[in-house]
Amino acid sequence: MEVPQPKAGRLRPLVAIVADNAGTETTDLIVPYGVLKEADVADVIIVSSKPGPVTLMPALTIEADMTIAEFDRRYRQGADIVVIPALHDSENEAIVEWVSRQYRSRAFILSICEGAWVAAKAGILDGRQATTHWYAMDKIAARYPKAVWVQNKRYVVDQNVMTTTGVTASLPASLALVEGIADERTASATAAHFGVTALGPLAWSPEHDSASFHLTSGRIGLIMWNYLAFWRHQTLDVPVFPGVNEVALALVSDAWSRTYRSKVVATSSAASVRTHSGLHLISDRAPAGAAAIAISDEPALGQFDQALDDIEKRYGKRTKDVVALQLEYEK
């Protein structure tokens, strides 16, 4: 993968991760941020559609580094790389127009998961090979037939545009981006930090089995039962603290929030904290009791796998399967 050289006057790429305040997918945003910051190969900025907190889906709240308008005033040449997570409102005209302008200014575009809707609406995917989350594939292909929609690839690179499959593809895609910016050695060292191995489930090769991800009547029934059985729902506290491992936090919170039986809230005695890589994380509330979920400094992927195992122990193997299905995670 070839990543364009930084624009004039820059020593390394400027990466802008765009966020919709009304809703941006948790892992899609935090994983690229954490991976790129850990690799230290680029300057990374989160830009939001307007001032104020950014609600992440399905858990956590953050504050962006600046708004789109502030970014435009400060960086008149635009970004070198733009990352588009899945957004609550993929029709957000301000974001679509901004992404389109960045692309016309020669930015490399990386859409994560259903961030492909934004890229497609901006016309960036016309005539290009692209992919997205398995659940959205048929709908997006019908609406944007000018793109060549590809299955069985975790991520697809077509010139200066990269698209990925579901949520957990954000980790291998980010590592591939690190390799494109720097080299294989840097990507390997960064991968090891997050617990990703060359032969593991999220090795950063593009190989992927899309056919294994699909809804069945049994899965739909379980989702409905878990959702409707409100008397069994749980709120799970996850303490957040200065220096918390934001990639592990994102993956673990995302997983537990997709059981249809549990809700994750970030607790802290402070109103907000800075994570390991400097993300401005806003706490949901003060600690209310014993922690239900703990985030450690261990590799993020291992903590995610442990969360899936814990979900199975608490809610059963079928719920674990539904969580992995939503996150498009093959293990």
Side-chain angles (χ1 to χ4, degrees), residues 128-323:
R128 297 186 185 278
Q129 292 191 342
T131 193
T132 190
H133 191 287
W134 66 268
Y135 184 75
M137 182 64 81
D138 290 343
K139 291 179 286 187
I140 200 169
R143 184 166 177 181
Y144 296 104
K146 292 182 180 180
V148 180
W149 296 101
V150 176
Q151 300 202 46
N152 296 319
K153 293 291 183 183
R154 184 176 281 118
Y155 55 83
V156 174
V157 181
D158 191 331
Q159 298 181 58
N160 62 334
V161 177
M162 183 180 187
T163 53
T164 83
T165 54
V167 183
T168 53
S170 58
L171 186 48
S174 298
L175 292 168
L177 182 59
V178 168
E179 184 174 4
I181 295 171
D183 49 41
E184 192 276 337
R185 181 178 178 181
T186 303
S188 294
T190 306
H193 174 82
F194 292 104
V196 178
T197 60
L199 299 177
L202 286 184
W204 65 98
S205 80
E207 301 311 313
H208 183 62
D209 179 16
S210 301
S212 63
F213 297 93
H214 56 275
L215 278 174
T216 63
S217 58
R219 285 167 169 169
I220 294 172
L222 177 69
I223 290 170
M224 292 180 64
W225 169 248
N226 281 1
Y227 177 74
L228 293 173
F230 61 88
W231 61 90
R232 301 197 303 170
H233 290 184
Q234 296 179 305
T235 297
L236 305 176
D237 287 8
V238 53
V240 294
F241 48 88
V244 66
N245 181 339
E246 68 277 315
V247 172
L249 175 66
L251 289 168
V252 170
S253 298
D254 213 330
W256 279 103
S257 298
R258 292 176 183 271
T259 65
Y260 292 92
R261 287 189 58 178
S262 49
K263 173 186 177 181
V264 172
V265 296
T267 63
S268 173
S269 56
S272 64
V273 300
R274 289 285 182 178
T275 67
H276 171 72
S277 295
L279 182 69
H280 187 184
L281 184 69
I282 300 172
S283 59
D284 295 312
R285 69 182 188 199
I293 302 172
I295 303 299
S296 73
D297 291 330
E298 294 299 312
L301 186 56
Q303 293 190 64
F304 173 66
D305 284 333
Q306 184 61 56
L308 291 177
D309 290 343
D310 291 343
I311 287 169
E312 180 177 357
K313 291 174 185 176
R314 183 173 297 202
Y315 301 135
K317 188 176 187 306
R318 293 175 64 211
T319 295
K320 173 185 176 181
D321 169 68
V322 163
V323 171

Side-chain angles (χ1 to χ4, degrees), residues 73-86:
R73 287 193 296 269
R74 188 174 303 185
Y75 302 103
R76 296 188 180 277
Q77 295 183 85
D80 296 296
I81 299 169
V82 171
V83 179
I84 313 168

Side-chain angles (χ1 to χ4, degrees), residues 19 21 29 33 46-48 50-56 60-67 70 272-274 278-282:
N21 297 72
L29 183 148
Y33 176 89
I46 298 173
V47 298
S48 57
K50 60 183 181 181
V54 175
T55 299
L56 300 184
L60 307 180
T61 304
I62 66 165
E63 187 86 33
D65 297 305
M66 61 186 69
T67 64
E70 290 168 334
S272 64
V273 300
R274 289 285 182 178
L279 182 69
H280 187 184
L281 184 69
I282 300 172

